Amino acid sequence: MEFDSFIKDNFGISAEVWEYAIKIEREIEHNFKEIDRITEYNQFKVLAAMQKNKLSDTHFAATTGYGYNDLGRDILEQVYADVFHAEAGLVRPQLISGTHALTVALAGNLRPGDEILSPVGIPYDTLQGVIGIRKERGSLSEFGITYKQVDLLPDGGFDFDNIRKAINKNTKLVTIQRSKGYEWRDSLSVEKIGTLISFIKSINKNIICMVDNCYGEFVETIEPTDVGADLIVGSLIKNPGGGLAPIGGYIVGKEEFVENAAVRLTSPGLGKEVGATLGITPALFQGLFNAPQVVGGSVKGAVFLSRLFEGLGFKVLPSSMEKRADIVQSIQLKTAENVIAFCQGIQKGAPVDSYVKPEPWDMPGYDCPVIMAAGAFVQGSSIELSADAPVKPPYNVFFQGGLSWHHAKIGIVIGLQTMVDKGLLKI
Ligand SMILES: *Cc1c(COP(=O)(O)O)cnc(C)c1O
């Protein structure tokens, strides 16, 4: 894009910052070609599933009350199952978040005396409370479900010896988190997840392999269900909702395990038969249809951010050259001032609440102040442009989302400009 007085006057972007951004954009042209190829393939996948299930506007009708005979809901679940090459799906607005969907998948498939194993280190923050790693009212540990963990090796690889040792006769379910979450570790490629699942199944083929797929959907052309996962779980206000889903979660996989989750979400004897959709089904379909494109834009933003800060001498994860496994980009910003300025800049680039200045605050459940930049149409939606950071050394910031590549770029450039304006760095 040409730089002109409109951009300068409205957004305060300087010619130096803009030129630097353009130079970076040129350096990653070939990454963008690869991302476009993945987007196109995933667009085929979503289209095929909708056509195969004969999606029609009669499926967009709202149901209320019990929600019996909600044809749109049933088709939506089959479309999700087909997109992920799975037997069955549970895709509901009553799954209120990713954490809730994971809770339902776990609670539905585990019984007292069963053990969960995480062979990829500590799970996402909210899951720690669900499992009972962190003491929390109503956690699975209160129901006699135990937990074991094997950390990743220092080089990011799987600790196969200790995983083998950790598996015992009570091990019922293995949980594998695809995205790094707020850890400074590599996110897991689908291929790597496949290796891990094969290893676990070679020890005991009856162990349920569940993948927390949050932030991973449509980043690659295959999904964990293509490499042996029995269940995958995610949030509709992240990748697969395409920015249009106003709420929801999904669970897809083997029919038996999805059914176990369904009777936990609703009631034994009712399962998937009930659950009104209240008119949001069209948004869930349209969001899924847009998701490959939206995810592609987010991944471009992540690569751009990575290259931009690599070029300024910061540590980034992953590097701009690495293959992506999720939409999250981490940068080590070295100082609290940098973190705050970057996040405030991201907020300035939002379509909603752009005039709000985020500040670090003591959020419950965290051991340090946290700053969050989010100006989203859907509250808390992190497929929309967003950045979060625990404000403590080494000052890592986690960036994700952007409903289009262009918006991701604009937000990132404003983030950088804010740091430059505060005299924190020079281009
Ligand atoms: C976001 C996320 C979750 C939880 O999802 P919420 O919708 O925020 O409850 C779980 N695991 C991972 C890896 C996530 O990124």
Side-chain angles (χ1 to χ4, degrees):
M1 245 277 320
E2 268 168 60
F3 184 69
D4 68 10
S5 59
F6 172 76
I7 298 173
K8 186 169 176 288
D9 297 345
N10 283 277
F11 294 96
I13 296 168
S14 67
E16 299 74 53
V17 166
W18 190 255
E19 272 160 29
Y20 177 61
I22 298 301
K23 176 176 100 72
I24 294 297
E25 199 178 338
R26 257 187 238 116
E27 289 171 3
I28 53 176
E29 267 169 7
H30 73 281
N31 304 56
F32 279 27
K33 285 218 176 80
E34 174 62 11
I35 295 164
D36 284 337
R37 188 190 66 79
I38 294 169
T39 298
E40 191 170 280
Y41 188 83
N42 285 325
Q43 191 69 69
F44 268 119
K45 266 208 285 194
V46 170
L47 180 63
M50 290 182 176
Q51 292 186 350
K52 180 184 159 209
N53 287 286
K54 296 196 158 54
L55 181 61
S56 153
D57 66 359
T58 55
H59 299 131
F60 300 152
T63 55
T64 57
Y66 293 127
Y68 281 114
N69 303 314
D70 187 328
L71 221 70
R73 179 194 68 209
D74 296 348
I75 296 280
L76 178 70
E77 293 182 333
Q78 195 50 50
V79 166
Y80 260 78
D82 289 341
V83 164
F84 291 107
H85 304 134
E87 291 174 7
L90 184 69
V91 186
R92 301 287 169 119
Q94 287 83 11
L95 289 168
I96 63 113
S97 66
T99 303
H100 185 215
L102 286 155
T103 303
V104 167
L106 289 168
N109 282 287
L110 294 162
R111 297 293 179 269
D114 288 345
E115 189 159 274
I116 305 170
L117 169 68
S118 171
V120 298
I122 188 117
Y124 191 77
D125 218 81
T126 54
L127 261 290
Q128 295 171 23
V130 172
I131 295 169
I133 304 166
R134 185 179 69 239
K135 207 168 147 45
E136 211 67 77
R137 183 199 302 263
S139 73
L140 293 170
S141 74
E142 288 189 359
F143 293 85
I145 292 158
T146 56
Y147 171 76
K148 270 205 173 67
Q149 178 178 317
V150 177
D151 289 338
L152 293 169
L153 294 169
D155 69 358
F158 302 123
D159 187 349
F160 289 113
D161 284 347
N162 281 314
I163 294 171
R164 186 190 297 280
K165 281 184 203 146
I167 293 175
N168 59 64
K169 64 176 188 349
N170 294 331
T171 311
K172 177 71 181 292
L173 182 146
V174 163
T175 180
I176 302 166
Q177 188 178 305
R178 180 170 172 183
S179 173
K180 65 173 80 66
Y182 294 125
E183 297 291 309
W184 188 271
R185 70 141 162 107
D186 287 334
S187 297
L188 301 173
S189 69
V190 173
E191 193 187 342
K192 272 194 190 162
I193 289 172
T195 310
L196 181 56
I197 292 174
S198 301
F199 178 74
I200 285 156
K201 295 280 185 185
S202 77
I203 297 167
N204 178 354
K205 67 174 180 8
N206 295 322
I207 292 174
I208 303 169
C209 291
M210 183 189 87
V211 175
D212 174 353
N213 211 26
C214 283
Y215 287 139
E217 300 90 354
F218 304 124
V219 172
E220 300 184 51
T221 55
I222 52 170
E223 298 287 341
T225 31
D226 293 313
V227 295
D230 298 306
L231 272 181
I232 62 173
V233 183
S235 163
L236 301 195
I237 63 166
K238 292 181 180 172
N239 306 17
L244 291 180
I247 189 170
Y250 78 88
I251 300 169
V252 306
K254 297 255 165 69
E255 183 149 19
E256 182 193 348
F257 305 137
V258 171
E259 204 53 47
N260 286 342
V263 297
R264 177 52 55 230
L265 174 66
T266 65
S267 287
L270 300 179
K272 287 172 71 173
E273 299 296 314
V274 292
T277 46
L278 308 171
I280 72 155
T281 310
L284 303 192
F285 276 119
Q286 206 176 347
L288 177 66
F289 186 71
N290 280 357
Q293 174 75 29
V294 172
V295 170
S298 297
V299 176
K300 286 179 181 177
V303 174
F304 175 72
L305 177 63
S306 181
R307 186 81 185 172
L308 201 73
F309 278 83
E310 266 172 359
L312 296 167
F314 289 88
K315 242 168 114 174
V316 298
L317 189 75
S319 85
S320 61
M321 290 301 140
E322 269 167 273
K323 209 176 150 239
R324 299 274 149 170
D326 66 5
I327 63 168
V328 181
Q329 179 63 47
S330 329
I331 8 172
Q332 215 161 82
L333 281 178
K334 297 182 204 168
T335 69
E337 291 72 35
N338 282 342
V339 166
I340 294 165
F342 179 76
C343 289
Q344 289 179 345
I346 292 293
Q347 185 78 35
K348 272 198 261 174
V352 179
D353 290 337
S354 62
Y355 54 87
V356 170
K357 203 169 178 180
E359 298 285 353
W361 63 295
D362 289 310
M363 206 173 134
Y366 288 85
D367 58 358
C368 66
V370 178
I371 184 164
M372 295 183 164
F377 294 101
V378 172
Q379 187 193 94
S381 166
S382 47
I383 188 60
E384 298 186 49
L385 191 74
S386 47
D388 324 87
V391 186
K392 65 175 180 188
Y395 300 104
N396 295 330
V397 93
F398 297 87
F399 167 95
Q400 64 275 312
L403 291 180
S404 69
W405 146 241
H406 299 285
H407 184 232
K409 173 182 166 183
I410 291 168
I412 292 164
V413 169
I414 296 173
L416 178 62
Q417 183 73 52
T418 307
M419 293 172 75
V420 170
D421 289 346
K422 290 198 170 172
L424 299 170
L425 52 83
K426 277 208 168 62
I427 302 297

